[in-house]
């Protein structure tokens, strides 16, 4: 169901914003055209075609919560590399550690002492005692799923409708018109994901119980709250029931904290007292240097070690990679956790998330728009619906791509960058009240014009 805006007027406003964008970004256009000679679609990665303008802005430099583009325009960055830059760009302690380690050797396929510090810090934050390192959250999820399947001997996993856990084939599945199948948009799925995966709606305990009752599910892979189809929070008691049901059916619970780290220094796991068997996280852990990790309980570690000992070799095990656990990632992770994404930083970031939400909510109320705002710690998001959706299916049905493109381009033209796939803003340790208020005032202007 789409909001009842005057679409003709919306298109006229969008044309005005497109013209403004083109006028203000000639150098980005030039680079984009040049890029087409050697880059598919003119960009280094397909997602970079998803921005609201006709071409992406090319970045000259980023510092803290701001960046400058090649046309000399400055932006408040509320996208922060879709969480990869949640530390703020180029935090000085991490940059120093990265430079120092780069000069001392980047990758050796041998451990460095930093790995021990980081393992202990992960336990302090998330409670799980044993950790392994890799380069992306996708890999952390992939490796965890493999281990869960191997040690339970069960073939399937379970995920939520419209979840996102990276490019993990088993997870790219949706329910369309009541039928599970490959998610629209997935490129070349290797097999029908219903062969590997059960999928249910978030917050639907009956569906979860029915799916687990087959006792063929090795693990549930869950974000504590959905964050990739907008923020969808769990119903009260949902996580307790999820934990109870997974235990009852011998299914492991994997909590993916890659985005929900926004809830606090120990993510939603610590903030809400979750008790996962495995935990996965990547993206901001090393201030933008590729780094990710997965943790496990004592019981899982014991079973995993026993299983791994039965293998003739681990190098084709599918749970590692040449660059995994490299010295540079670990040094960057240590500096990030020790000095940047600290407990104190989260207090400030979460207060800014609240401030951002209030700014948006005030404008929504002031201009009587049928929208709402949802928040998880230092991540917040507006929805074009009066109430927040309760699950991925509802969220996807309420997607209003045309309106989102407009609100994003409006903000971009006025120096604010939002996350392209949804209406989301993230606060970093470097974000200021002034940055947040800049968004509130642009959002208010935009809302006033739309409501007219
Ligand atoms: C919850 C979650 N898990 C995993 C991933 C995958 O991260 P990456 O693309 O860095 O592998 C993402 C990416 O958006 C994510 O949101």
């Amino acid at each position: 169901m789409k909001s009842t805006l005057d679409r003709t007027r919306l298109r006229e406003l969008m044309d005005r914003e497109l013209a403004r964008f083109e006028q203000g970004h000639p150098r980005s256009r030039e680079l984009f055209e040049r890029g087409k000679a050697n880059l598919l679609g003119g960009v280094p990665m397909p997602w970079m075609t998803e921005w609201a303008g006709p071409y992406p802005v090319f970045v000259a430099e980023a510092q803290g919560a701001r960046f400058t583009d090649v046309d000399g325009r400055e932006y408040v960055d509320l996208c922060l590399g879709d969480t990869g830059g949640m530390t703020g760009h180029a935090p000085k302690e991490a940059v120093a550690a990265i430079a120092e380690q780069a000069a001392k050797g980047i990758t050796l396929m041998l451990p460095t002492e930093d790995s021990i510090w980081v393992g202990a810090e992960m336990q302090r934050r998330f409670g799980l005692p044993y950790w392994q390192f890799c380069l992306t959250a996708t890999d952390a999820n992939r490796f965890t799923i493999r281990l869960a399947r191997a040690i339970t001997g069960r073939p399937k996993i379970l995920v939520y409708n419209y979840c996102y856990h990276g490019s993990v084939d088993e997870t790219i599945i949706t329910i369309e018109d009541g039928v599970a199948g490959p998610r629209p948009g997935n490129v070349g799925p290797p097999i029908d994901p219903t062969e590997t995966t059960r999928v249910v709606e978030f917050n639907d305990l009956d569906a979860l119980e029915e799916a687990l009752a087959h006792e063929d599910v090795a693990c549930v892979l869950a974000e504590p709250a959905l964050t990739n189809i907008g923020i969808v929070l769990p119903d009260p008691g949902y996580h307790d029931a999820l934990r109870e049901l997974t235990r009852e059916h011998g299914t492991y619970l994997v909590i993916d904290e890659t985005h929900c780290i926004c809830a606090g220094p120990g993510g939603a796991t610590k903030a809400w007292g979750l008790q996962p068997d495995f935990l996965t996280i990547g993206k901001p852990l090393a201030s933008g240097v590729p780094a990710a990790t997965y943790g496990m309980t004592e019981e899982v570690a014991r079973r995993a070690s026993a299983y791994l000992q039965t293998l003739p070799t681990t190098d084709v095990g599918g749970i590692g990679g040449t660059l995994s656990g490299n010295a540079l990632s670990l040094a960057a992770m240590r500096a990030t956790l020790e000095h940047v994404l600290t407990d104190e930083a989260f207090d400030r970031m979460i207060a800014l998330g609240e401030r951002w939400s209030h700014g948006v909510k005030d404008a929504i109320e002031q201009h009587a728009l049928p929208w709402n705002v949802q928040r998880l710690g230092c991540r917040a998001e507006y929805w074009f619906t009066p109430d927040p959706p309760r699950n991925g299916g509802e969220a996807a049905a309420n997607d209003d791509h045309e309106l989102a493109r407009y609100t994003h381009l409006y903000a971009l033209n006025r120096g604010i960058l939002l996350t392209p796939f949804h209406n989301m803003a993230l606060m970093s340790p470097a974000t200021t009240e002034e940055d947040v208020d800049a968004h509130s005032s642009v959002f208010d202007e935009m809302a006033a014009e739309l409501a007219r």
Side-chain angles (χ1 to χ4, degrees):
M1 207 208 317
K2 305 280 181 284
S3 83
T4 53
L5 278 174
D6 175 348
R7 296 283 152 172
T8 310
R9 180 147 173 277
L10 180 60
R11 272 164 221 144
E12 282 164 13
L13 291 172
M14 186 65 178
D15 287 344
R16 181 194 71 193
E17 292 305 316
L18 285 167
R20 180 171 171 158
F21 179 86
E22 299 243 17
Q23 203 181 17
H25 301 85
R27 177 91 178 114
S28 277
R29 170 179 271 290
E30 193 190 317
L31 293 180
F32 179 62
E33 295 303 331
R34 258 178 61 204
K36 286 181 184 167
N38 297 107
L39 306 175
L40 194 63
V43 289
M45 204 270 274
W47 299 0
M48 293 183 191
T49 59
E50 297 273 343
W51 295 97
Y55 47 89
V57 294
F58 277 65
V59 175
E61 197 180 318
Q63 281 292 331
R66 293 185 176 231
F67 73 94
T68 314
D69 72 11
V70 291
D71 286 291
R73 303 172 82 94
E74 195 188 48
Y75 301 82
V76 173
D77 188 356
L78 296 173
C79 167
L80 296 166
D82 194 13
T83 311
M86 181 181 172
T87 49
H89 302 292
K92 71 176 184 329
E93 298 90 344
V95 170
I98 291 163
E100 192 186 328
Q101 186 62 48
K104 292 196 301 193
I106 292 173
T107 191
L108 300 104
M109 225 169 71
L110 285 169
T112 52
E113 194 171 336
D114 287 333
S115 59
I116 296 166
W117 189 95
V118 178
E121 175 64 7
M122 295 311 286
Q123 177 172 22
R124 183 189 77 81
R125 288 181 183 235
F126 297 103
L128 298 173
Y130 291 101
W131 296 85
Q132 291 281 274
F133 296 95
C134 46
L135 294 181
T136 65
T138 297
D139 276 350
N141 286 325
R142 222 182 254 146
F143 300 168
T144 297
I145 288 170
R146 279 180 175 273
L147 273 175
R149 273 204 302 252
I151 62 184
T152 59
R154 292 182 174 187
K156 292 200 170 169
I157 69 158
L158 184 144
V159 295
Y160 295 115
N161 196 24
Y162 282 97
C163 67
Y164 186 71
H165 296 282
S167 54
V168 180
D169 291 317
E170 292 93 329
T171 63
I172 310 179
I173 183 170
T174 48
I175 306 169
E176 307 293 333
D177 300 324
V179 181
R183 182 167 175 169
N186 186 224
V187 178
I191 51 164
D192 181 339
T194 56
E195 286 186 32
T196 57
T197 308
R198 297 190 180 279
V199 53
V200 299
E201 289 289 6
F202 195 57
N203 282 326
D204 183 344
L205 283 173
D206 290 340
L208 177 70
E209 184 157 24
E210 193 283 322
L212 294 179
H214 296 268
E215 308 231 325
D216 58 358
V217 176
C219 64
V220 171
L221 174 57
E223 276 196 284
L226 301 185
T227 64
N228 282 292
I229 188 77
I231 298 173
V232 180
L233 295 175
D235 288 346
Y238 182 78
H239 274 285
D240 291 340
L242 167 64
R243 185 60 280 197
E244 212 171 286
L245 285 171
T246 44
R247 285 208 173 112
E248 192 180 312
H249 291 287
T251 295
Y252 280 132
L253 176 60
V254 184
I255 291 290
D256 181 345
E257 286 282 5
T258 301
H259 277 183
C260 292
I261 179 76
C262 59
T269 295
K270 184 67 179 263
W272 301 347
L274 308 183
Q275 296 183 344
D277 299 297
F278 289 93
L279 187 144
T280 60
I281 181 167
K283 292 204 186 183
L285 284 185
S287 298
V289 169
T293 180
Y294 57 102
M296 61 199 87
T297 60
E298 186 85 44
E299 184 261 347
V300 173
R302 204 174 344 99
R303 289 181 73 186
S305 299
Y307 171 80
L308 292 173
Q309 274 164 24
T310 66
L311 302 179
T313 169
T314 53
D315 68 349
V316 291
I319 57 163
T322 316
L323 302 177
S324 297
N326 72 72
L328 184 68
S329 295
L330 266 308
M333 254 190 270
R334 178 176 181 161
T336 302
L337 296 169
E338 200 170 358
H339 301 294
V340 187
L341 290 179
T342 57
D343 296 10
E344 303 73 51
F346 273 95
D347 290 343
R348 279 183 284 113
M349 289 149 72
I350 291 171
L352 290 172
E354 280 168 14
R355 189 179 182 95
W356 190 91
S357 302
H358 284 141
V360 171
K361 189 162 179 284
D362 286 351
I364 289 172
E365 283 172 5
Q366 171 80 20
H367 304 296
L369 286 165
W371 300 354
N372 77 89
V373 59
Q374 194 67 293
R375 182 177 66 82
L376 178 62
C378 63
R379 179 187 304 278
E381 157 128 25
Y382 53 86
W383 288 99
F384 301 129
T385 53
D387 300 304
R390 276 191 63 233
N391 60 48
E394 255 180 61
N398 282 297
D399 179 41
D400 191 333
H401 188 64
E402 189 179 35
L403 184 52
R405 273 180 76 80
Y406 174 69
T407 63
H408 285 225
L409 190 59
Y410 190 100
L412 188 71
N413 278 338
R414 291 155 187 81
I416 313 262
L417 188 78
L418 291 159
T419 310
F421 310 107
H422 22 69
N423 307 319
M424 197 175 276
L426 183 65
M427 310 299 139
S428 75
T431 308
T432 61
E433 291 188 349
E434 194 194 348
D435 295 334
V436 170
D437 295 348
H439 175 268
S440 301
S441 119
V442 165
F443 184 85
D444 182 72
E445 250 176 56
M446 183 272 300
E449 195 178 39
L450 269 187
R452 223 177 278 147

